[in-house]
Amino acid sequence: MEKKIDERIEDVTYNRAKLWQLILFALNNSSTNIYLVAFSFVTYFSTGILGLAALFISQLMGYIRIFDGFIDPAIGVLIDKTETKFGKYRPILVIGNIITALSLIMMLALANTPENLRLALLVVVLIIHKIGYSMQQTITKAGQVALTNDPKQRPIFNIVDGIATTVLMTGSQVVVSQYLVPKFGGFTPDFFNTLIYSVIVISAVLGILAIIGIWEKDNKQFFGLGEKTPETKFKDYWQVIKGNKPLQSLSISAALVKFVAQMFGDSVVTVMLYGILFGNYALSGKMSLLMIVPGILVTVGMSALAQKKGLRYSYVLALKAGIIGLLLFAVVLSFGEPGKLSLDSWNFYTILFVLTFIVARYASSSPSGLVLTMGADITDYETSVSGRYLSGMIGTIFSLTDSVASSFVPMVIGWVLAGIGFSKEYPTVETVLTPELKWATIALFTLIPAALLCISLFLMRFYKLDREEMARIQEKIHVMKAAKDVERQQAIAENVPLSDMDYVDITQYKVK
């Protein structure tokens, strides 16, 4: 059976990208993710610099992410409707990066505004930030469809993205905890100035490299059925949302995974784990540095498995491993206390912590990288059943569900901490460990994420786009492109089920 599938995949004519194109375009995700580093400290900026209440800010951040989710579909329509001499994706990428950079510069300026205006202006700045961020982030998902449709090439994007994201996020944590915080004495105005302008420069460089990567493929001939792609009307978007079951199940499943990944990277939870539970915040940077190689190995391993077994297989396996890892990590954390974790003189507890942390964090978050490519599979699926090319809209549906789910990260943290007496300000590295803080840390880091991954795993029962199904989809798209006219191509889309692709003869399909 496996050999038959391999033969079938090899028989399909694919749009393939060069390796350097895949590598460079994957950096667009890093270009946007680096802003999450700066954004994760917005709560400290809002409370420490702007003087706003912690619980209020945690809820505000959640509502802003929900707003972000609901503007995403409009951005998706914008991408789908965009046709310029510079392509579909490159103009949106550039505009999005510029808007995002300007939003953070404006946020820094809020420290010099009257106190009674800061809250209103902060809301405006956050909205602008989310618009720019969503524009560039959506290109990561949408552009992959045009870049390549080869099932053996698409996971290469995940390998590159996983390595780049791990190095970027780990390196940033090391810089923040071991250089910026000690140098500026905490989360001071100088700290935020240095952090934000560094992020802007790094993001711009990575964005330029991504533009070079997508340059050749940002062309209509690589969009769906090429010149035969039917024009999409606004009513078509609702039909896709209502009828595309793979999109429905995967977008919700991926949103829950995103929640877990963001919880692991949240600055407040990181302070609670290393700064309070173990009494040494500098451990966060050392641990991040230590995790570079294991994190890359897990990511590369899952992506390599996806090349061989398919994206769905690797995604489900990662979810199962993540659930087991989180539960084991919860047990290890229950024995944690200040001074017990040491990376200078390793003990048995440190070994257990590191091993369970690797599985808990990287297995549970690796599906978040895989779904970037699985969204491209769903776009191809939609093309095969309707002829429509909706990479922008489908990409933003994932952003919508991601935003709604991840909006609950600051909210959940705020609720949990308010429940143990931290409604006005967040715990800091000077906060004394209490039993309540310890169990709040364990719940936020392991128990809540494990429960959400269980739901995510259940939803994958309804996602059927495995390796064999994607081979059939690419065959059908190839047949539709070969149709002599648009009417016959549309007739094939409507009348040829994927299961019949071994026997299809396009000459027999005529317009009703």
Side-chain angles (χ1 to χ4, degrees):
M1 180 67 178
E2 191 73 23
K3 184 177 180 180
K4 182 179 179 181
I5 296 174
D6 286 335
E7 291 174 350
R8 183 171 198 152
I9 291 174
E10 292 299 328
D11 287 341
V12 180
T13 300
Y14 291 109
N15 159 38
R16 292 184 171 92
K18 300 178 180 68
L19 180 60
W20 66 266
Q21 292 174 319
L22 292 166
I23 293 173
L24 292 186
F25 183 67
L27 297 178
N28 188 59
N29 199 41
S30 300
S31 177
T32 50
N33 280 342
I34 190 65
Y35 276 106
L36 297 178
V37 174
F39 206 70
S40 68
F41 291 94
V42 168
T43 50
Y44 285 110
F45 180 84
S46 302
T47 57
I49 307 299
L50 301 183
L52 303 175
L55 180 60
F56 179 81
I57 289 299
S58 70
Q59 306 310 303
L60 174 62
M61 298 299 287
Y63 293 132
I64 289 295
R65 285 191 175 99
I66 293 175
F67 167 81
D68 174 36
F70 284 101
I71 65 169
D72 282 341
I75 293 173
V77 173
L78 173 66
I79 294 172
D80 289 333
K81 296 293 184 181
T82 297
E83 285 190 24
T84 73
K85 64 179 181 179
F86 299 109
K88 177 187 291 288
Y89 302 118
R90 286 170 289 169
I92 306 293
L93 192 160
V94 171
I95 295 171
N97 189 267
I98 292 173
I99 292 175
T100 309
L102 291 176
S103 70
L104 289 191
I105 294 173
M106 288 188 288
M107 188 180 72
L108 286 176
L110 295 181
N112 300 318
T113 60
E115 291 186 10
N116 61 335
L117 296 178
R118 289 178 181 178
L119 177 58
L121 292 175
L122 177 62
V123 172
V124 173
V125 168
L126 291 177
I127 290 174
I128 294 173
H129 172 82
K130 285 302 180 182
I131 292 173
Y133 179 86
S134 295
M135 290 176 71
Q136 185 178 357
Q137 178 62 34
T138 301
I139 297 302
T140 299
K141 303 180 183 75
Q144 288 184 68
V145 190
L147 195 63
T148 179
N149 61 1
D150 186 342
K152 291 187 176 181
Q153 275 200 330
R154 278 184 172 169
I156 295 175
F157 180 96
N158 305 118
I159 294 174
V160 177
D161 175 58
I163 294 173
T165 299
T166 300
V167 171
L168 194 66
M169 304 306 279
T170 301
S172 64
Q173 183 60 37
V174 172
V175 171
V176 168
S177 65
Q178 307 233 347
Y179 176 69
L180 294 181
V181 170
K183 178 180 179 180
F184 297 112
F187 303 129
T188 63
D190 288 337
F191 166 87
F192 285 106
N193 276 324
T194 303
L195 175 67
I196 286 176
Y197 280 108
S198 298
V199 164
I200 289 173
V201 172
I202 294 171
S203 176
V205 172
L206 294 173
I208 291 170
L209 293 175
I211 290 171
I212 295 172
I214 195 68
W215 195 283
E216 180 186 347
K217 296 302 181 75
D218 194 3
N219 187 297
K220 191 169 184 177
Q221 64 177 304
F222 301 111
F223 303 160
L225 302 177
E227 296 294 335
K228 298 176 183 177
T229 303
E231 181 181 354
T232 302
K233 300 177 181 177
F234 282 104
K235 66 178 182 179
D236 296 331
Y237 290 102
W238 172 243
Q239 293 176 0
V240 173
I241 295 172
K242 183 176 65 173
N244 193 313
K245 291 182 179 179
L247 175 62
Q248 295 166 0
S249 55
L250 184 62
S251 60
I252 300 174
S253 173
L256 300 178
V257 172
K258 184 73 171 182
F259 178 100
V260 174
Q262 286 199 205
M263 184 68 81
F264 264 100
D266 187 86
S267 60
V268 176
V269 179
T270 301
V271 167
M272 291 170 64
L273 178 65
Y274 295 105
I276 301 175
L277 179 57
F278 294 112
N280 186 358
Y281 181 62
L283 282 172
S284 64
K286 295 179 181 179
M287 184 61 68
S288 296
L289 196 59
L290 180 65
M291 291 295 108
I292 289 180
V293 174
I296 289 174
L297 289 177
V298 172
T299 301
V300 171
M302 287 299 177
S303 299
L305 184 64
Q307 285 184 291
K308 185 176 181 181
K309 296 285 189 177
L311 287 161
R312 183 190 183 280
Y313 180 93
S314 186
Y315 185 98
V316 170
L317 181 64
L319 286 177
K320 293 177 180 177
I323 293 168
I324 295 172
L326 285 167
L327 295 177
L328 292 175
F329 192 46
V331 175
V332 172
L333 289 183
S334 68
F335 293 97
E337 58 186 32
K340 196 164 188 177
L341 179 66
S342 174
L343 297 179
D344 297 322
S345 56
W346 284 57
N347 52 41
F348 182 66
Y349 182 83
T350 299
I351 294 172
L352 286 179
F353 179 94
V354 170
L355 291 177
T356 54
F357 181 87
I358 290 171
V359 179
R361 174 161 190 173
Y362 294 105
S364 63
S365 60
S366 61
S368 190
L370 293 172
V371 80
L372 293 173
T373 303
M374 295 169 79
D377 286 351
I378 292 176
T379 299
D380 287 338
Y381 166 78
E382 180 60 38
T383 298
S384 73
V385 297
S386 69
R388 293 186 286 257
Y389 182 71
L390 302 173
S391 63
M393 189 276 282
I394 288 175
T396 52
I397 290 299
F398 283 95
S399 297
L400 166 62
T401 53
D402 276 3
S403 296
V404 172
S406 63
S407 68
F408 285 97
V409 171
M411 288 184 176
V412 169
I413 293 172
W415 291 331
V416 171
L417 291 178
I420 60 172
F422 291 89
S423 59
K424 293 185 178 180
E425 59 182 12
Y426 289 115
T428 66
V429 292
E430 288 83 22
T431 303
V432 177
L433 178 65
T434 63
E436 292 80 9
L437 261 177
K438 179 177 181 176
W439 285 106
T441 303
I442 293 172
L444 291 170
F445 237 107
T446 62
L447 302 182
I448 295 174
L452 294 179
L453 289 190
C454 287
I455 299 173
S456 180
L457 181 62
F458 171 77
L459 290 170
M460 289 305 294
R461 297 178 59 185
F462 306 100
Y463 182 81
K464 305 299 183 181
L465 302 185
D466 57 15
R467 189 163 174 258
E468 183 177 7
E469 189 74 357
M470 286 310 302
R472 285 196 288 264
I473 285 170
Q474 297 302 341
E475 281 184 310
K476 184 175 180 182
I477 292 175
H478 183 66
V479 170
M480 292 167 70
K481 283 185 175 181
K484 294 180 179 179
D485 53 55
V486 174
E487 290 182 332
R488 184 169 294 179
Q489 163 255 304
Q490 291 175 338
I492 296 170
E494 294 173 4
N495 299 322
V496 181
L498 290 170
S499 57
D500 289 347
M501 285 311 301
D502 282 328
Y503 317 104
V504 67
D505 175 8
I506 64 172
T507 60
Q508 64 178 302
Y509 293 99
K510 299 181 180 179
V511 182
K512 297 176 183 178

